[in-house]
Amino acid sequence: MTERTTDFREHLIRYGGDTYPEIVEKAQGCYVWDASGNKILDFTSGQMCATVGHNHPNIVAAIRKSCDTALHLFSGMIPRSVVELARAIAKIVPRPLTKSMFVNTGSESNEAAIKMAKLYTGGFEVVALGGSWHGVTGNAGAVSFASDRKGYGPGMPGTFALPEPNAYRCPVRHCRDRCDLTCMKVGFELYDMQSTGARAAVIAEPVISAGGVIVPPDGYFDALQKETQKRGMLMIFDEAQTAFGRLGHWFAASHLKVTPDLLTVSKTLGGGIPLAAVITTDEIEAKCHERHFAFYTSHVSDPLPATVGLAVLETIAGEHLLERSREMGEYLAASLRELQERHEEIGDVRGMGLLRGIELVTDRETRAPHHALGALTTERCLQLGLSMNIRRRPERGSVWRIAPPLTVTREDIDRAMTIFDQSLSEMKEVLARRPGSGTRSEPAARKHSMAGHRGRQTPM
Ligand SMILES: Cc1ncc(COP(=O)(O)O)c(C=O)c1O
């Protein structure tokens, strides 16, 4: 029996979201190939990690080098690659951030950052932005509001949500198209009413990615930092997606000119290999150490991922990928705005660098989300060879997150836009032929879906 006649997922636990209907065999550059030989343009950079392109030769060489040196060590031994990576990061990260600790995943890095903030401040309350995604583990999962929290019992005590600065869909129903930070003021007023006074941290993504690619307005993070400091809390920036070039800069923090107390990086540091870091100041590190900070995992300071991280940083610098991200990001944004002129259903195009969001609506005035078109179009794009991630949440709209590797070419973008344009046009027609089009519920859209694949809805 072939994999086509058996279910290849037979012995796999389902971990959320839809899976691609075929086994994927290979990934290279901006493309992946499935078992049938279909070549798919990867506009999600894997899980937002492969910024230098899949299987970049420098990453492959770094893995080979690790095979000749060391793959893994006792957690109390520090390999040369870890020392060098910490130095390389210290050279590009805004001061006074200087010290790093290397772990594997974004969840872990946020777990560690929140623990450090708690230890440093002596408090335990953590405020996070609505729509945020910081991971799936205890502390990180507790401050993630774009994920499904139902069914797991109580989260971490002392977790608070601040309405996110979404100018297209104002969460406090106050602004339209220009956020005046009322959401932040209302959020902190509510937080202060509930606080026990044991405050620890405010955590934020510089661009709220899984929450719909929301770019906070100018001045937002200065104001957030002021509010954070006023309350004696530490500010944590989660740059899992935004660091190392996705927005066209080494860090969003450098671009925003706001330096947090703790900065976490993950996905884009390993370029596809599990690697993450917490970066902080000498002062915070010293105090946490004094208070016996412990995060002694099996793979803390492992040599292989650090060697890869160095290769990723060298590749970004050597191939001028920061500049390229800005240039290609502008080209992508212009192409998307052109599509918006032709498709009424594209209500909003937003984002920075090579992280762009496209929000689909049934009507530009009411901004009612067009979930059905989002699901069908995503699926059609995939059939035609373009993989994109869509976020569909009833109260937050249908938003595609487009994030190709920074090595993407104009030709790749043109090809993606042609597929996107064709898919949108075809699926609009499919829906127009059905009664009640455009306002159909998501389950109805699923019933009409072509391959039983729900348009790549994923949890993040
Ligand atoms: C901003 C952000 N932080 C943290 C995480 C969690 O990272 P990981 O999945 O590596 O644990 C994610 C994952 O999508 C993320 O987008």
Side-chain angles (χ1 to χ4, degrees):
M1 263 203 272
T2 66
E3 274 145 359
R4 285 179 157 279
T5 55
T6 59
D7 183 357
F8 62 83
R9 288 163 286 212
E10 192 183 358
H11 299 293
L12 297 176
I13 292 176
R14 286 161 286 187
Y15 45 78
D18 297 332
T19 47
Y20 184 69
E22 290 213 32
I23 286 177
V24 174
E25 302 280 9
K26 185 181 138 174
Q28 186 74 55
C30 294
Y31 290 86
V32 299
W33 285 260
D34 69 18
S36 301
N38 294 311
K39 182 178 171 184
I40 301 155
L41 196 43
D42 181 6
F43 266 40
T44 67
S45 298
Q47 192 57 44
M48 306 294 291
C49 304
T51 44
V52 298
H54 289 285
N55 289 38
H56 191 290
N58 294 351
I59 293 186
V60 175
I63 293 170
R64 288 212 176 101
K65 183 177 164 191
S66 305
C67 295
D68 294 334
T69 50
L71 297 170
H72 163 78
L73 294 172
F74 171 64
S75 298
M77 291 179 178
I78 305 294
R80 183 172 299 283
S81 55
V82 162
V83 175
E84 286 175 2
L85 183 58
R87 278 196 190 128
I89 289 177
K91 274 195 194 140
I92 52 175
V93 77
R95 283 290 177 271
L97 300 173
T98 52
K99 293 207 158 166
S100 297
M101 174 179 79
F102 298 101
V103 288
N104 298 125
T105 64
S107 305
E108 249 188 291
S109 64
N110 288 321
E111 202 65 30
I114 293 171
K115 282 186 156 187
M116 288 180 88
K118 288 182 177 179
L119 202 56
Y120 179 87
T121 57
F124 68 97
E125 291 176 0
V126 185
V127 176
L129 302 191
S132 57
W133 183 292
H134 297 294
V136 295
T137 55
N139 279 292
V143 292
S144 296
F145 300 114
S147 55
D148 198 349
R149 303 163 66 92
K150 314 264 179 316
Y152 306 111
M156 211 51 81
T159 304
F160 298 86
L162 200 63
E164 69 277 25
N166 182 349
Y168 193 71
R169 283 183 197 285
C170 175
V172 293
R173 314 292 188 264
H174 172 74
C175 306
R176 191 172 161 104
D177 297 324
R178 228 194 107 261
C179 172
D180 68 1
L181 310 197
T182 297
C183 49
M184 188 192 297
K185 289 170 205 145
V186 169
F188 273 115
E189 265 176 41
L190 287 171
Y191 166 56
D192 289 340
M193 278 181 218
Q194 299 168 84
S195 175
T196 62
R199 304 177 174 105
V202 172
I203 183 167
E205 295 163 75
V207 173
I208 305 164
S209 179
V213 193
I214 297 159
V215 183
D218 288 348
Y220 183 84
F221 288 106
D222 293 291
L224 187 67
Q225 189 165 46
K226 276 196 193 101
E227 296 297 332
T228 304
Q229 288 171 347
K230 214 158 81 185
R231 290 166 178 80
M233 302 165 95
L234 296 190
M235 180 135 130
I236 306 171
F237 265 5
D238 176 354
E239 294 225 33
Q241 298 195 13
T242 53
F244 309 120
R246 172 63 66 204
L247 303 184
H249 306 276
W250 281 117
F251 299 94
S254 6
H255 166 70
L256 292 166
K257 300 199 173 18
V258 174
T259 307
D261 303 290
L262 292 141
L263 193 153
T264 59
V265 292
S266 48
K267 296 171 179 284
T268 55
L269 178 57
I273 295 297
L275 175 63
V278 191
I279 312 166
T280 193
T281 64
D282 288 350
E283 198 256 325
I284 293 172
E285 191 275 340
K287 189 166 254 181
C288 287
H289 175 67
E290 207 180 286
R291 294 181 178 176
H292 310 292
F293 172 65
F295 206 84
Y296 204 82
T297 74
S298 306
H299 297 287
V300 67
S301 294
D302 253 359
L304 181 141
T307 308
V308 171
L310 276 166
V312 168
L313 297 190
E314 280 160 22
T315 305
I316 293 169
E319 296 185 8
H320 310 289
L321 294 182
L322 302 183
E323 297 80 353
R324 191 177 177 82
S325 171
R326 291 198 288 271
E327 188 192 325
M328 288 299 132
E330 284 311 312
Y331 185 67
L332 174 61
S335 309
L336 291 170
R337 281 194 288 268
E338 218 175 273
L339 275 190
Q340 187 182 23
E341 279 170 26
R342 271 180 290 129
H343 296 280
E344 266 300 295
E345 294 78 5
I346 299 183
D348 197 27
V349 174
R350 52 184 181 250
M352 276 178 75
L354 278 170
L355 177 57
R356 300 283 163 175
I358 300 162
E359 181 142 0
L360 272 185
V361 292
T362 57
D363 176 321
R364 284 193 184 174
E365 186 48 37
T366 65
R367 300 182 177 177
H370 207 335
H371 295 306
L373 185 61
L376 289 177
T377 304
T378 312
E379 187 179 319
R380 183 67 183 138
C381 281
L382 198 53
Q383 289 173 343
L384 295 174
L386 171 65
S387 169
M388 294 199 301
N389 182 239
I390 191 157
R391 300 278 308 149
R392 284 178 283 135
R393 295 159 72 216
E395 74 293 4
R396 292 286 194 275
S398 242
V399 183
W400 274 298
R401 180 172 65 190
I402 302 196
L406 313 185
T407 51
V408 72
T409 62
R410 276 172 195 260
E411 292 68 36
D412 293 329
I413 292 175
D414 290 345
R415 180 186 162 121
M417 292 304 109
T418 304
I419 293 175
F420 191 20
D421 193 14
Q422 178 187 337
S423 303
L424 259 180
S425 303
E426 285 180 9
M427 294 306 106
K428 274 158 54 174
E429 265 179 46
V430 166
L431 287 174
R433 274 190 250 116
R434 303 190 197 286
S437 62
T439 50
R440 290 180 319 138
S441 65
E442 212 177 309
R446 266 183 225 160
K447 215 163 64 193
H448 293 280
S449 92
M450 290 165 291
H453 184 258
R454 290 179 281 145
R456 315 263 350 259
Q457 166 73 347
T458 58
M460 63 165 135

